[in-house]
C-alpha cells in the first residue's frame, strides 16, 4: 500500500499533515479513545472541561500532573522523526497537531500549529495571563494569579472552548491550499480539527489516512494505510526520497 501511495503523491508539492494522539502511542503515551484509555474511569470529555475544573480543580490538576509526569519520561518515535524529515520533500509543508505533548517540537519539526495548546503551559483562568511556572502545580493548593487572584489552569483548549483563532484560521487556509493532506493517528471525531481533512479534500487535495483502524474519515480518504504511524511514515519518507531522486 505504501508503494501505491508514494506513486500517487510523488508530484505533490504542498503538504499538510494533521496528527492526533495515535502518533505518540508508540512513544508510550496513552491515546484518548483507545482501549488503554487515558485515565481509567474518566473520559477526556469529562475532565478536559471548564465545568470539571470549576467543580473539582484538584482532580483536573491531578490528571494533568500525571500526564506531564508521564510525558517527561517519553521520547519522540520514528513517526515524529519521519515527519521532520518529510519537511524537505515538499515546497510547502505544514504540521498541524491536536496533541499537547510537545513531541513534534522535540523531534525537530519546525512549522507546527498546536490546535489544542501545550500541556507544559499554564494560564490564569480569569485573565489568561501566562503562568509557566517551573515546578508542578500542587492540586491541593492551586496557586492564584498574582494579578487578579484567579486560579491557575493548564493552557490547553478544553471542550466547549474556542481554539486560538489565528491558529485555526491558518490551519484551514493551509488545508485548502494543500495538494496533499495526511490525517495520522486521529479518530477524526473532535471538531473543528476533524473538518480540516474534509476542507483539504474538498479543495482538491489527495487525502491519505494512516491509522491502525478505520475512522469516520476513512470513507473519504483516497488512501487508507492501516498501519502504525511509526512504521508507515519512515517507509513513506524513504520511498518518496527514492522517487524524488530520479
Ligand atoms: C469547540 C484538551 C466550540 C487538551 C481536547 C458536534 C459537531 C462539531 C463540534 C461539536 C459537536 N459536539 C460537540 C462539539 C464540540 C467539541 C467536539 O468536537 N466534541 C466531540 C466529542 C464531538 N469540540 C470542542 O469543544 C472544541 N471547541 O468546538 O468550540 C465553540 C464554538 C463556538 C463558540 C464557542 C465554542 C474543542 C476541542 C478540543 C478539546 N480538547 N483536549 C488535552 O488535555 O489534551 S480534545 C482531545 O481529543 C485531545 O486534544 C486530542 O488531541 C483530541 C482528538 O483525539 P485524537 O488525537 O484523535 O485521539 P484519539 O485517542 O481519539 O484517537 C487516536 C487514534 O489513533 C485512534 O484512531 C487510533 O486508532 C489511532 N492509533 C492508535 N495507535 C496508533 C494509531 N494510529 C497510528 N499509529 C498508531 N500506533
Ligand atoms: Zn489572572
Amino acid at each position: 500500500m505504501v508503494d501505491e501511495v508514494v506513486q500517487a503523491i510523488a508530484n505533490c508539492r504542498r503538504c499538510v499533515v494533521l496528527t492526533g494522539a495515535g502518533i505518540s502511542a508508540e512513544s508510550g503515551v496513552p491515546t484518548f479513545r483507545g482501549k488503554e484509555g487515558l485515565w481509567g474511569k474518566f473520559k477526556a470529555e469529562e475532565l478536559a472541561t471548564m465545568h470539571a475544573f470549576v467543580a473539582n480543580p484538584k482532580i483536573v490538576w491531578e490528571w494533568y500532573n500525571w500526564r506531564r509526569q508521564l510525558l517527561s519520561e517519553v521520547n519522540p518515535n520514528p513517526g515524529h522523526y519521519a515527519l521532520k524529515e518529510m519537511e524537505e520533500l515538499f515546497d510547502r509543508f505544514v504540521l498541524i497537531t491536536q496533541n499537547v505533548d510537545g513531541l513534534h517540537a522535540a523531534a525537530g519539526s519546525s512549522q507546527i500549529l498546536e490546535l489544542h495548546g501545550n500541556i507544559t503551559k499554564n494560564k490564569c483562568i480569569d485573565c489568561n495571563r501566562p503562568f509557566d511556572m517551573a515546578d508542578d502545580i500542587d492540586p491541593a493548593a492551586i496557586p492564584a494569579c498574582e494579578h487578579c487572584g484567579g486560579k491557575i489552569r493548564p493552557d490547553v483548549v478544553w471542550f466547549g472552548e474556542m481554539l486560538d483563532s489565528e491558529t485555526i484560521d491558518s490551519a484551514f487556509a493551509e488545508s485548502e491550499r494543500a495538494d496533499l493532506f495526511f490525517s495520522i493517528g486521529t479518530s477524526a471525531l473532535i471538531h473543528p480539527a476533524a473538518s480540516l481533512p474534509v476542507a483539504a479534500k474538498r479543495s482538491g487535495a489527495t487525502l491519505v489516512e494512516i491509522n491502525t483502524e478505520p475512522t469516520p474519515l476513512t470513507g473519504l480518504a483516497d488512501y487508507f494505510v492501516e498501519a502504525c504511524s511509526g512504521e508507515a511514515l519512515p517507509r513513506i519518507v524513504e520511498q518518496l526520497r527514492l522517487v524524488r531522486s530520479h
Side-chain angles (χ1 to χ4, degrees), residues 124-129 145-152:
C124 168
I125 197 140
D126 293 327
C127 71
N128 279 332
R129 258 181 174 70
C145 165
E146 67 260 6
H147 178 77
C148 77
K151 276 193 174 59
I152 302 307

Side-chain angles (χ1 to χ4, degrees), residues 146-211:
E146 67 260 6
H147 178 77
C148 77
K151 276 193 174 59
I152 302 307
R153 58 166 280 183
D155 190 1
V156 296
V157 180
W158 282 337
F159 284 98
E161 294 188 327
M162 295 288 281
L163 281 65
D164 171 70
S165 50
E166 226 174 279
T167 305
I168 192 65
D169 290 351
S170 309
F172 274 103
E174 293 295 344
S175 300
E176 285 157 3
R177 289 184 46 176
D179 56 4
L180 174 58
F181 191 103
F182 280 100
S183 177
I184 304 172
T186 179
S187 55
L189 292 173
I190 303 302
H191 290 271
S195 304
L196 293 168
V198 178
K201 177 75 184 153
R202 202 177 34 235
S203 307
T206 297
L207 178 57
V208 181
E209 181 179 39
I210 302 175
N211 200 310

Side-chain angles (χ1 to χ4, degrees), residues 217-234:
L217 188 69
T218 307
L220 187 73
D222 296 292
Y223 299 93
F224 173 52
V225 180
E226 189 156 12
C228 289
S229 45
E231 284 155 29
L233 282 169

